[in-house]
Amino acid sequence: MANAHRGEIEAELSGRKYVLCLTLGALAELEHAYGGEDLIAIAQRFEAGKIGASDAIRVIGAGLRGAGNVVSDEQVADMRAEGGAQGFLSIVVRLLRATFAGET
């Protein structure tokens, strides 16, 4: 079960419920993926609504790994979310809000 006070969310991917969390290590992984951009730059990028499919894969993958799930970005790319692209976007938005705004 996800603990909102720790920045965790719950999401269903490919029919399985997962907990996702952007830990400090997961955030460092995202910084590296975005060419060393700092956390503020990454947050601003997503606040501006610039979220592509590869962004969703990276963020969801980092969140899954941050919560202790052993999964590669390639495996995340093959997962399905209820609602299709909108479902993936919803997971990304909820995870970023839980991390940067303390919301779920």
Side-chain angles (χ1 to χ4, degrees):
M1 178 142 206
N3 182 340
H5 297 291
R6 294 185 353 194
E8 297 174 348
I9 68 159
E10 192 172 281
E12 187 172 323
L13 295 161
S14 293
R16 180 176 167 203
K17 290 200 183 274
Y18 289 93
V19 171
L20 292 83
C21 182
L22 290 177
T23 61
L24 192 56
L27 291 168
E29 178 184 327
L30 289 175
E31 283 180 347
H32 179 73
Y34 288 101
E37 286 187 33
D38 61 35
L39 291 177
I40 301 301
I42 292 170
Q44 289 172 337
R45 170 190 172 101
F46 293 132
E47 269 184 358
K50 297 178 182 179
I51 301 174
S54 61
D55 296 321
I57 291 168
R58 286 182 181 135
V59 173
I60 292 170
L64 286 165
R65 289 185 289 277
N69 299 287
V70 180
V71 62
S72 68
D73 282 351
E74 291 78 19
Q75 290 170 307
V76 173
D78 289 335
M79 291 179 170
R80 292 181 288 295
E82 189 171 322
Q86 183 61 37
F88 285 114
L89 182 59
S90 172
I91 293 168
V92 170
V93 169
R94 289 188 303 117
L95 184 55
L96 293 172
R97 282 186 180 154
T99 302
F100 291 106
E103 301 173 15
T104 54

